[in-house]
Amino acid sequence: MDNSLWLLMLACAVGTFLLRALPLIWMRRHLVRRSLSNTTEAMPVWLTVLAPTMIAAMFGVSLVPAHPGMSSWLATLLGGLCTILVWRRTRSLGWPVCIGVAVYGVVVVLLKMIG
Amino acid sequence: MSSVDLSKSSAWQQGARDALPLLGGYIPVAISFGLIAVQSGFSALETVLISALIYAGASQFLFIAMVASGAPLWLVLVMTLLINARHLVYGPNIAPYLSNSRWWPVLMHGLTDQIFALAHTRLPQLEEKDRMGWYISAALIAWGSWIIGTAVGAIAGAEITSRWPLLGEVMPFALPALFLVLLAPRFTSVQWTLTMIVTIVAALVLKLMGMTNSAIPLAALCGVSLFYLVQAKLKAEGKIHG
């Protein structure tokens, strides 16, 4: 990379970092101001709604397999079902994900063997 | 919300355990990034530095594609920051759970989509003294796996993908599985269930339509709008107050 590309990469890195850090600094100041003025509602409500919807949107995007097809959609469905069933039993993070990936993998392999 | 019992393990160990499922999603994508970057003319060192410093998956792919195609540098910068603009809402959402330590803003370098989703669920369940240790541990595991995956992809990506093609196909399912587990406790009322389902379906459809980068913010806005619509309807029917 020449000098201009190095500068570009650094600008992208600093810009991305600021997008992550500055809103946190702003919110901390906002929370301090709110607590000083004894206001009950510290966080804007829209922000508390936006966070879970962002995670739901990430989930929706990540559901689309890299190579969409009947087998990958079926594996996604069965892997997701098993993930949620294991979560209902364990209420943990690790096991449901492990079992979900294992089921997804087994379905993909089985369908490749059949088809 | 239930709290996490850390009597048998430290916050650092808990953070590492929670971040482990991310590896299934991060490493295959990082290997792909390393491979594509090297094929686009970047050296292995440059590729690893891009992953370490920018550390934002989609925008890194865009960065190398635009640079390789000879796009104007200002446009590369604008597009990279536009794609990452969704990160604007992550910090404020976890701010109420963070101490006044001056290190927290610096640690936001590790606040990716997935770490945010994990932190938004986990931080409220932890005691305040455990939160920084948990976050550093989870963020380091994710960052380290992204950097190592990139290096492996840059050095031996072609051989790995040809030898174990199934690995790259199966492991990324860890990400939707993780998001599903993080979302499951949020289906607590009709209002939230509707909001979640509409957001998920909107994101899925937008992604299938090829709007990969705008799918997350657009679907989230769609979900927030629906949340307020349902709330207004429930208020009008007198089922909730406020």
Side-chain angles (χ1 to χ4, degrees):
Chain A
M1 289 202 298
D2 60 24
N3 284 344
S4 60
L5 274 183
W6 280 110
L7 276 175
L8 172 68
M9 197 262 278
L10 283 176
C12 288
V14 171
T16 302
F17 170 71
L18 292 177
L19 285 173
R20 289 168 172 161
L22 288 180
L24 173 78
I25 295 168
W26 167 78
M27 180 51 85
R28 289 170 105 183
R29 288 182 181 163
H30 173 79
L31 291 174
V32 169
R33 278 198 304 272
R34 287 289 175 129
S35 64
L36 287 176
S37 62
N38 287 325
T39 312
T40 49
E41 197 177 277
M43 282 269 282
V45 178
W46 63 268
L47 204 52
T48 59
V49 179
L50 190 57
T53 56
M54 290 289 274
I55 299 171
M58 287 179 220
F59 171 60
V61 166
S62 67
L63 273 178
V64 180
H67 308 289
M70 260 314 268
S71 60
S72 53
W73 280 116
L74 185 63
T76 301
L77 181 69
L78 293 175
L81 271 176
C82 289
T83 303
I84 208 72
L85 286 175
V86 177
W87 174 80
R88 281 173 70 97
R89 281 189 71 86
T90 62
R91 300 276 162 169
S92 65
L93 268 179
W95 280 112
V97 176
C98 283
I99 302 292
V101 172
V103 170
Y104 181 92
V106 167
V107 174
V108 166
V109 171
L110 281 177
L111 289 174
K112 276 188 195 296
M113 286 166 68
I114 294 167
Chain B
M1 199 175 282
S2 61
S3 61
V4 176
D5 179 17
L6 290 180
S7 55
K8 289 176 187 163
S9 62
S10 71
W12 290 77
Q13 287 171 322
Q14 183 66 43
R17 256 201 308 273
D18 287 345
L20 278 182
L22 294 180
L23 304 192
Y26 273 36
I27 291 177
V29 180
I31 289 175
S32 307
F33 173 74
L35 176 62
I36 293 170
V38 168
Q39 286 172 345
S40 301
F42 291 86
S43 71
L45 178 66
E46 290 162 355
T47 305
V48 169
L49 280 174
I50 291 171
S51 270
L53 297 176
I54 298 181
Y55 187 36
S59 65
Q60 288 181 215
F61 280 97
L62 185 82
F63 178 90
I64 55 166
M66 287 185 81
V67 169
S69 69
L73 300 188
W74 65 268
L75 190 61
V76 180
L77 178 62
V78 169
M79 291 305 293
T80 302
L81 297 183
L82 265 181
I83 287 184
N84 294 335
R86 67 183 183 282
H87 292 159
L88 282 167
V89 300
Y90 294 168
N93 262 291
I94 58 169
Y97 312 117
L98 309 184
S99 64
N100 288 325
S101 167
R102 62 186 169 161
W103 291 107
W104 275 116
V106 179
L107 294 171
M108 290 302 105
H109 178 59
L111 194 68
T112 59
D113 296 329
Q114 295 77 17
I115 289 293
F116 162 70
L118 264 182
H120 191 254
T121 302
R122 221 20 143 201
L123 289 178
Q125 302 170 339
L126 295 170
E127 285 184 39
E128 193 177 328
K129 66 177 175 52
D130 293 325
R131 289 175 183 160
M132 189 176 275
W134 177 91
Y135 178 89
I136 292 174
S137 174
L140 274 181
I141 294 260
W143 192 40
S145 71
W146 185 250
I147 293 171
I148 291 169
T150 301
V152 170
I155 295 162
E159 196 186 330
I160 289 170
T161 48
S162 65
R163 189 174 287 188
W164 296 296
L166 259 181
L167 210 60
E169 196 176 333
V170 172
M171 292 309 286
F173 185 73
L175 281 188
L178 177 66
F179 287 135
L180 184 57
V181 173
L182 294 174
L183 282 176
R186 304 210 178 258
F187 289 77
T188 49
S189 64
V190 175
Q191 188 178 12
W192 271 112
T193 303
L194 269 175
T195 303
M196 294 285 110
I197 290 173
V198 167
T199 308
I200 292 164
V201 172
L204 186 79
V205 171
L206 288 168
K207 164 89 179 185
L208 286 173
M209 288 166 64
M211 298 166 73
T212 306
N213 294 321
S214 53
I216 292 174
L218 284 180
L221 284 177
C222 189
V224 172
S225 309
L226 182 81
F227 181 89
Y228 279 107
L229 273 175
V230 175
Q231 192 170 51
K233 191 170 184 300
L234 291 174
K235 267 185 196 167
E237 291 172 1
K239 289 182 181 167
I240 57 169
H241 305 283

